[in-house]
Amino acid sequence: MAATLCSRLLPKSGWLPLSQSVRHGSKAVTRHRKPVHFLKQKLMAVTEYIPPTPAAPPGALAPRIRQTEEESALAVLLRKDLETLFKECKMITVVQNNAINAEDLMVLKHKLKRHNISVKFFPNQVTRSFLSNSIYSNMLPLFVGQNVIIVSKEPKVKEMLQALKHSPQMVLLGACIENTLLSFQGILSYSKLPSMTTIQGELVGGLTMLTSRTVSMLRHHPAHLSALLQQYVKQQGSGDSTNAVTDKDTIKEAEA
C-alpha cells in the first residue's frame, strides 16, 4: 500500500505536471516604424536615381527603313485639276458643308450656275498636299472637315452671297479673291464695292470732263485775243472814216 502511494505521489521520469505556473506580466515593448509622410514619399520618388540604359553597340541595331507611300494616279490627277483651277479662277471660296441633302445641293448648284459659278469637291488630303507647296499655303486652316470649293473665273461675290443666303447648311469660311486671302467679314466688305464697269465709267467720265475743261481753257485766251483785235480794227476803221470826212469838208471850204 505504501508503495502504491509513493508511486502515485512521486513524479515519474518524463512525466509533466498537470498544472504549470505561467507568468502573466506585461508584454515586451517593441518599436513600430512610423509611416513616411506623403510629401517625403513624393520627394524620394522624384529624386530617385534612375540609371541610364546602356547604349547598344553601333552594329547591333539594323537601320530603320522609312516606307514612303506613293500617291495614287487618282490623287495625282485631282491635284493637277486643283492646280489648273487655282490658276484660271479669280474667286476661290471655301464653304463648310453641314450635312446638306442632295436636293438642296442641286438647287444651290443651279442658282450658282446661272452666274457661271461652279461647285467643286476635292478630298482634304489632296487639297492640303497641294496647298502646302504653293503660294496659297495660308488657306490650309480652312480645309478641316467636310468642305466645298465654290469657284468662278470672275469675282462674283454678290451673286454667290445671294445664293448662299437660302442655304444655311453651307457656312462660308473664307475666300481667295484675285490672289488676296479674305475672311468672312472681308468678303462682305468686298461685296459692297461697286462693279468694275461702274468704276471704269466713272473714271472715263472724270477724264473726259478734265480734257474738255482743258480744251475750253486753251481756247479761251485765243478767242478773247481775236475779239480784242477785231474791236481794235473796228475802232481804227471808224477813226479813219471820220478823218476822211473832215478832210473833204476842209477842201470844199477852201475851194469856196
Side-chain angles (χ1 to χ4, degrees), residues 59-130:
L61 298 177
R64 294 182 180 180
I65 301 174
R66 295 183 179 180
Q67 296 181 356
T68 56
E69 297 181 358
E70 295 183 357
E71 290 185 344
S72 61
L74 179 60
V76 175
L77 181 61
L78 290 175
R79 177 185 282 185
K80 290 182 180 179
D81 293 343
L82 193 61
E83 186 177 357
T84 55
L85 195 70
F86 271 78
K87 286 182 180 179
E88 295 177 356
C89 299
K90 294 183 179 180
M91 185 184 75
I92 302 168
T93 311
V94 183
V95 181
Q96 186 177 5
N97 182 11
N98 292 330
I100 188 173
N101 53 27
E103 185 177 357
D104 293 341
L105 183 60
M106 188 64 66
V107 172
L108 179 62
K109 284 183 178 180
H110 181 67
K111 289 180 180 178
L112 294 173
K113 199 66 178 178
R114 293 176 183 174
H115 307 286
N116 296 326
I117 303 175
S118 305
V119 179
K120 302 292 183 180
F121 295 89
F122 289 96
N124 284 344
Q125 184 178 1
V126 176
T127 309
R128 294 180 70 88
S129 64
F130 165 72

Side-chain angles (χ1 to χ4, degrees), residues 144-162:
V144 178
Q146 298 292 330
N147 293 325
V148 179
I149 302 176
I150 299 177
V151 296
S152 65
K153 294 185 178 180
E154 295 296 331
K156 300 180 179 180
V157 181
K158 291 183 179 179
E159 293 81 357
M160 181 191 66
L161 291 176
Q162 290 177 358

Side-chain angles (χ1 to χ4, degrees), residues 234-254:
K234 287 180 181 180
Q235 289 178 358
Q236 291 293 326
S238 61
D240 292 341
S241 61
T242 53
N243 290 332
V245 170
T246 54
D247 291 340
K248 287 180 181 180
D249 292 341
T250 54
I251 291 170
K252 287 180 181 180
E253 290 177 356

Side-chain angles (χ1 to χ4, degrees), residues 160-178:
M160 181 191 66
L161 291 176
Q162 290 177 358
L164 291 175
K165 189 183 296 183
H166 303 285
S167 299
Q169 299 92 349
M170 307 294 283
V171 181
L172 186 60
L173 299 178
C176 180
I177 300 174
E178 294 181 342

Side-chain angles (χ1 to χ4, degrees), residues 8-36:
R8 288 182 179 181
L9 293 176
L10 295 174
K12 297 180 180 179
S13 59
W15 175 82
L16 294 175
L18 296 177
S19 61
Q20 294 180 357
S21 61
V22 180
R23 180 182 178 184
H24 297 282
S26 61
K27 297 182 179 179
V29 179
T30 56
R31 298 186 64 182
H32 300 285
R33 295 185 62 182
K34 293 182 179 180
V36 184

